[in-house]
Amino acid sequence: MNPILEIFSQGEEVVTGQIVDTNAAWLSERAVALGFTVARHTAVGDKLDDLIALLREIAQRADCCICTGGLGPTSDDLTAEAVAKAFGLPLEFDGIAFEQIQRFFARRNRVMPESNRKQAMFPKGAERIDNAWGTAPGFSLQAGRCWFSFVPGVPSEMRHLFLESIQPTLASRFLLRPGKLVSIKTLGIGESSIQQLIGGVEIPAQVQLGFRASPDDVQTKLLFPHDYPETAMTALVSEVAGQLGDHVFAIDGFGQAGGDLAFVIDRLMTGGKYTLAVVETVSQGLLAAKCVGADWLLEARYEQSVERLVQKLAVTVNADKFAGSELEQPTAGPKGEIQECISYDLPATAQAIAAEIQKTSAADFVLVQLNGGDNKTFRDKDRAIILYNTLLTGDGFHQTTHSVAGPINVKQNQAALLALDLLRRYLQHKEL
Amino acid sequence: MNPILEIFSQGEEVVTGQIVDTNAAWLSERAVALGFTVARHTAVGDKLDDLIALLREIAQRADCCICTGGLGPTSDDLTAEAVAKAFGLPLEFDGIAFEQIQRFFARRNRVMPESNRKQAMFPKGAERIDNAWGTAPGFSLQAGRCWFSFVPGVPSEMRHLFLESIQPTLASRFLLRPGKLVSIKTLGIGESSIQQLIGGVEIPAQVQLGFRASPDDVQTKLLFPHDYPETAMTALVSEVAGQLGDHVFAIDGFGQAGGDLAFVIDRLMTGGKYTLAVVETVSQGLLAAKCVGADWLLEARYEQSVERLVQKLAVTVNADKFAGSELEQPTAGPKGEIQECISYDLPATAQAIAAEIQKTSAADFVLVQLNGGDNKTFRDKDRAIILYNTLLTGDGFHQTTHSVAGPINVKQNQAALLALDLLRRYLQHKEL
């Protein structure tokens, strides 16, 4: 069993939502990597009784606790006082800490305000954590079952103190056996479909299976205990990834193939020395934006009206079908119904646009995204639109079609990802 | 005394630090604005015993609790089961919820996996919270002292359900005396400059002043008690906003002028029936992406090489200065130094590009963003780049220049916002 660790954040600004508590996530991630089981995060405001009650609770149920905040010089910084009261340890003056605080001010040519004296008062028996990054030293002590470390809430100070002082102490105080987390990242397939696909894979009881859906991917997570055999791990990851097939664009924590979709594509495009031109509609700039700073993305354009783009490019394909007002007034289905009656040929139009762009562009590949449904359908969260992606390479045309639904930002993001994913599939297939 | 509210976040991804819990801060801010005292945030993982213990604790000490997460279809989604066990309420099948979930899949042309059936099981006596934004309905119930509301952890769904369903219920169940929160939203000015500018404004002791910097704005927040006189409030907000001048693009919680930058611009563009064409470089599609679904954005393009764009458009201005390789190899300054030695005239080039685009575009306005510094400078977090924004309207050219520093995503986002902000200033000035 791993030792149990809790995170405790103190501050009115956290509990009233004026700031997002990024410290808790940062500390937890490191604690898990070290081999702790993180059981709980708690945030409370600057109220002495709340702090005392919480410290006593944690002292009973956790082996270790990292506490951030409440070490400042002002009257609402109550951590040391709360610890003293919670565990019956009188506050004592620490001359070395006081000197450090004075030196901090002297170095900045400032006079130390009297209120900062408070920051040199620690509960009896506490070990000081020197802080070269700010005025507030931290401290650690054992209370009940739990080893507590108290550090300032300023993220940069907290991170330095954790990495340089707390982490080495924890490694020596606890018998830690860090596990191994592998995340299989997929696109174009939902959490419940993934569960069905991998339903036949036998996951040993020691391996923890989890899922995480984010706007940019769905991750299937396997947490292996530290002593899990390497070959068995490789076999299980391969089996799960195999079930998810081409939907897998990266595996984090398992060799070199991690990262997000843009990162994976960047590696493949840079490796193959390819360049790209893009035409996007629904993603409206977001596809290009996701490739920010990429040398291989030469140009990208968004046109609200595909008809105008076709006219500008003087694309001649499908002149019959394309003429008239059909494109500007697609058949409006009732709420919730997918727009299916497209009377002109969007996949062929996408091909023609790609071919035309290739004539003037220096890019090796051209990626064109068109969509059925007008701007109103796009904005309606209850209506789906159909995406037609075409990739033109030296090997010819490659196409995918998707139905995308949800609020407009979800449609936009999915459109960007699904078009990029066509490029990713082409590049990974070519690499094999 | 205000009623006590707690926030409870469920999920291994939260407690292990794989995601930052932004839901807790968002909900707390709204709860405080409604008139609750937020006493505690707690996050626990997907462990049934931990969930049961925590639910029982909260039922004793809080009047209200908003819980996020754990309502998904998979085996690690345990919230309903934990509630059932914690309070001795058997799970019951809800036919209406089941129909809603089935319809969600049907609308997307997908078959509902059997696992989703679980999402229609609620503890006996719970009130369903319909979810038009995803598959998981939420639910509310009274247990002990506490009114619990359970919603999905997906931030967009959680926010919709809170605003549309939970907030009205809380307002009717609790005697709340909400304060009034006014957020003055600015761009192009930092928190410490704001503090200096408003240093001379006298803020009464009952009014709480706070700041919040996000990637998209800096907000100066004034929280007024519920019985604060309207006229005094108006006077104070006007005085603070007046000190910040043209940097203010919106004021939330104070009449109609709220919203983010794209929303403010959407209102102004739609109101004036204007249309826009965009050329972007550093923001690389993100400017267009921020205007997603806007009828007034007709076209947008990104070109990595301004030289190639100039050639394509056959822009003739500054041919002397423009010729040669200077544009492709800008003078590289040492680390940390701003790229200042631009030997060709980017503002004039931006004007020429805007004029050329206007010839072929149907748009009323053309917004062009160019930048000094190459892709390498762009990617280097320790180097700044200079942005040249030009807006061409019926009134002629309008220009701004900015220096933007930081990691590549920060530069990209700032570039998109600062170019859009030129358009916002023009439109608001025109409206006066």
Side-chain angles (χ1 to χ4, degrees):
Chain A
M1 271 282 283
N2 295 339
I4 305 287
L5 182 142
E6 293 200 18
I7 306 290
F8 165 15
S9 311
Q10 195 220 310
E12 282 302 312
E13 69 281 11
V14 174
V15 91
T16 59
Q18 287 175 44
I19 59 166
V20 172
D21 184 11
T22 55
N23 285 343
W26 189 91
L27 285 167
S28 298
E29 207 175 3
R30 265 133 208 96
V32 170
L34 281 174
F36 286 97
T37 293
V38 181
R40 221 185 245 226
H41 297 178
T42 314
V44 294
D46 305 323
K47 297 199 180 75
L48 196 59
D49 290 344
D50 286 356
L51 292 169
I52 292 171
L54 183 59
L55 286 165
R56 287 181 178 155
E57 282 174 33
I58 294 173
Q60 283 178 18
R61 72 182 175 222
D63 302 301
C64 183
C65 179
I66 314 289
C67 311
T68 61
L71 298 181
T74 59
S75 55
D76 55 3
D77 289 301
L78 299 168
T79 298
E81 190 183 341
V83 173
K85 294 230 162 94
F87 306 124
L89 305 165
L91 288 173
E92 291 180 345
F93 178 74
D94 183 324
I96 297 173
F98 189 64
E99 247 177 61
Q100 288 171 351
I101 298 166
Q102 282 183 311
R103 224 179 302 141
F104 183 90
F105 281 93
R107 232 181 276 131
R108 284 158 182 76
N109 284 336
R110 286 161 55 198
V111 178
M112 191 195 87
E114 190 48 36
S115 59
N116 286 77
R117 192 173 203 281
K118 179 183 159 194
Q119 295 181 300
M121 301 293 291
F122 300 120
K124 189 181 168 79
E127 292 177 16
R128 190 185 61 248
I129 303 174
D130 294 329
N131 182 358
W133 310 89
T135 62
F139 62 93
S140 295
L141 53 77
Q142 182 80 31
R145 167 182 166 185
C146 187
W147 175 254
F148 286 90
S149 288
F150 299 88
V151 287
V154 182
S156 58
E157 294 182 34
M158 180 280 289
R159 291 178 189 203
H160 280 296
L161 297 193
F162 183 83
L163 294 174
E164 287 156 28
S165 178
I166 297 174
Q167 187 168 293
T169 307
L170 297 182
S172 70
R173 289 190 75 93
F174 291 93
L175 180 64
L176 297 169
R177 294 183 299 187
K180 193 162 168 60
L181 178 68
V182 176
S183 301
I184 301 169
K185 300 163 101 170
T186 47
L187 249 181
I189 184 171
E191 204 174 313
S192 41
S193 306
I194 290 176
Q195 278 204 303
Q196 284 191 319
L197 283 175
I198 67 172
V201 180
E202 203 176 317
I203 313 267
Q206 322 94 285
V207 180
Q208 215 176 300
L209 174 68
F211 301 94
R212 176 162 130 210
S214 83
D216 289 347
D217 56 32
V218 177
Q219 299 187 18
T220 302
K221 290 169 169 288
L222 296 165
L223 180 61
F224 295 89
H226 81 109
D227 55 355
Y228 203 82
E230 189 80 19
T231 48
M233 189 178 89
T234 306
L236 186 62
V237 172
S238 303
E239 194 181 351
V240 173
Q243 291 297 316
L244 306 178
D246 212 10
H247 291 290
V248 179
F249 68 84
I251 304 179
D252 278 356
F254 192 68
Q256 298 302 311
D260 67 6
L261 183 63
F263 181 84
V264 169
I265 289 175
D266 187 57
R267 190 175 55 77
L268 294 164
M269 289 293 283
T270 306
K273 293 193 168 54
Y274 305 118
T275 53
L276 180 72
V278 165
V279 174
E280 41 184 327
T281 55
V282 169
S283 53
Q284 198 173 323
L286 194 59
L287 196 167
K290 282 181 188 285
C291 306
V292 63
D295 286 323
W296 45 264
L297 181 64
L298 301 188
E299 56 184 290
R301 58 201 291 172
Y302 159 71
E303 287 274 351
Q304 190 182 121
S305 158
V306 176
E307 193 169 31
R308 200 156 44 217
L309 177 63
V310 165
Q311 283 166 1
K312 266 196 212 168
L313 292 172
V315 171
T316 48
V317 82
N318 285 322
D320 295 351
K321 290 187 179 173
F322 204 77
S325 60
E326 283 161 333
L327 203 141
E328 297 295 307
Q329 296 165 346
T331 320
K335 201 173 147 105
E337 185 187 293
I338 289 177
Q339 194 81 30
E340 276 178 302
C341 324
I342 294 152
S343 55
Y344 50 93
D345 189 344
L346 280 174
T349 307
Q351 288 194 2
I353 290 171
E356 194 59 37
I357 298 265
Q358 202 183 40
K359 288 184 196 166
T360 61
S361 172
D364 302 317
F365 305 155
V366 183
L367 182 58
V368 176
Q369 168 200 82
L370 297 184
N371 66 286
D374 59 4
N375 231 355
K376 217 176 123 205
T377 312
F378 182 30
R379 285 189 292 246
D380 185 345
K381 74 173 174 51
D382 292 322
R383 305 225 357 231
I385 51 174
I386 298 182
L387 292 178
Y388 301 90
N389 297 315
T390 291
L391 176 66
L392 174 55
T393 70
D395 309 328
F397 292 105
H398 314 271
Q399 306 209 218
T400 52
T401 306
H402 301 273
S403 169
V404 179
I408 187 166
N409 295 92
V410 172
K411 284 193 188 111
Q412 178 186 31
N413 192 51
Q414 283 295 308
L417 292 171
L418 290 168
L420 280 173
D421 201 45
L422 169 57
L423 178 62
R424 188 270 306 171
R425 285 169 193 242
Y426 170 77
L427 291 166
Q428 279 183 345
H429 195 260
K430 207 176 163 72
E431 209 187 29
L432 293 178
Chain B
M1 270 284 283
N2 295 339
I4 304 287
L5 182 143
E6 292 200 20
I7 306 289
F8 166 13
S9 310
Q10 195 219 310
E12 282 302 315
E13 68 281 13
V14 174
V15 91
T16 59
Q18 288 174 45
I19 60 168
V20 172
D21 184 9
T22 56
N23 286 342
W26 190 91
L27 284 166
S28 297
E29 202 176 6
R30 265 132 208 97
V32 169
L34 281 173
F36 286 97
T37 293
V38 181
R40 221 186 245 225
H41 297 177
T42 314
V44 294
D46 305 322
K47 297 202 179 71
L48 197 58
D49 291 344
D50 287 355
L51 292 169
I52 292 171
L54 183 58
L55 287 165
R56 288 181 178 155
E57 283 174 34
I58 295 173
Q60 284 178 18
R61 72 181 175 221
D63 303 300
C64 183
C65 178
I66 314 289
C67 311
T68 61
L71 299 180
T74 58
S75 53
D76 54 4
D77 290 300
L78 298 169
T79 298
E81 190 183 340
V83 173
K85 294 231 163 93
F87 306 124
L89 305 166
L91 289 173
E92 291 181 344
F93 177 74
D94 182 325
I96 297 173
F98 188 64
E99 247 176 60
Q100 289 171 350
I101 298 166
Q102 282 181 312
R103 225 179 301 139
F104 183 91
F105 281 93
R107 232 183 270 134
R108 284 159 179 76
N109 283 339
R110 286 162 53 196
V111 178
M112 193 195 85
E114 189 50 35
S115 56
N116 287 76
R117 193 173 202 281
K118 178 183 158 195
Q119 295 181 301
M121 301 294 291
F122 300 120
K124 189 181 169 78
E127 291 177 17
R128 190 184 61 248
I129 303 173
D130 294 329
N131 182 357
W133 307 90
T135 61
F139 61 94
S140 295
L141 52 77
Q142 181 79 32
R145 166 182 167 186
C146 186
W147 175 254
F148 285 90
S149 287
F150 299 88
V151 286
V154 182
S156 59
E157 294 181 34
M158 180 280 289
R159 292 177 188 203
H160 281 295
L161 297 193
F162 183 83
L163 294 175
E164 287 156 28
S165 180
I166 296 174
Q167 187 168 291
T169 307
L170 297 183
S172 70
R173 289 190 74 94
F174 291 93
L175 179 64
L176 297 169
R177 294 187 299 186
K180 194 158 167 60
L181 179 68
V182 176
S183 301
I184 301 169
K185 300 162 104 171
T186 48
L187 250 180
I189 183 170
E191 204 175 311
S192 43
S193 306
I194 290 175
Q195 280 195 295
Q196 284 192 318
L197 282 174
I198 67 172
V201 181
E202 203 177 316
I203 313 268
Q206 321 95 285
V207 181
Q208 216 175 296
L209 173 70
F211 300 94
R212 179 155 131 207
S214 83
D216 289 347
D217 56 32
V218 177
Q219 299 187 18
T220 303
K221 291 168 168 287
L222 295 165
L223 181 61
F224 296 89
H226 79 110
D227 55 358
Y228 201 81
E230 189 80 17
T231 49
M233 190 179 89
T234 307
L236 187 62
V237 172
S238 302
E239 194 183 349
V240 172
Q243 292 297 317
L244 306 179
D246 210 11
H247 291 291
V248 178
F249 67 84
I251 303 180
D252 278 356
F254 192 67
Q256 298 304 311
D260 67 7
L261 183 63
F263 181 83
V264 170
I265 290 176
D266 187 56
R267 191 175 53 78
L268 294 163
M269 290 293 283
T270 306
K273 293 194 168 53
Y274 305 118
T275 53
L276 179 72
V278 165
V279 174
E280 43 184 325
T281 55
V282 169
S283 54
Q284 198 174 323
L286 194 60
L287 197 169
K290 283 181 187 284
C291 307
V292 64
D295 285 324
W296 45 264
L297 181 63
L298 301 188
E299 55 183 291
R301 57 201 292 172
Y302 158 72
E303 286 275 350
Q304 189 182 122
S305 158
V306 176
E307 193 169 32
R308 200 156 43 217
L309 176 63
V310 165
Q311 282 167 2
K312 267 195 212 170
L313 292 173
V315 170
T316 48
V317 80
N318 284 323
D320 295 351
K321 290 186 177 172
F322 204 80
S325 60
E326 283 161 333
L327 204 141
E328 296 294 306
Q329 294 166 348
T331 319
K335 199 172 148 107
E337 185 186 295
I338 291 177
Q339 195 80 31
E340 277 179 298
C341 326
I342 294 152
S343 54
Y344 49 93
D345 189 344
L346 280 174
T349 307
Q351 288 194 2
I353 290 171
E356 193 60 37
I357 299 265
Q358 203 183 39
K359 289 185 196 165
T360 60
S361 173
D364 302 316
F365 305 154
V366 183
L367 181 58
V368 176
Q369 169 200 83
L370 297 184
N371 66 287
D374 58 4
N375 232 357
K376 217 176 123 206
T377 312
F378 182 30
R379 285 189 292 247
D380 184 345
K381 74 172 173 47
D382 293 321
R383 309 237 336 242
I385 51 173
I386 299 184
L387 292 178
Y388 301 91
N389 296 315
T390 291
L391 176 66
L392 173 56
T393 70
D395 308 328
F397 292 104
H398 314 270
Q399 306 210 215
T400 52
T401 306
H402 301 272
S403 169
V404 179
I408 187 165
N409 295 92
V410 171
K411 285 193 188 113
Q412 178 186 32
N413 192 50
Q414 283 294 308
L417 293 170
L418 291 169
L420 281 173
D421 201 45
L422 169 58
L423 178 61
R424 189 270 304 171
R425 285 169 191 242
Y426 170 77
L427 291 166
Q428 279 182 345
H429 196 260
K430 206 176 165 73
E431 208 187 28
L432 292 179

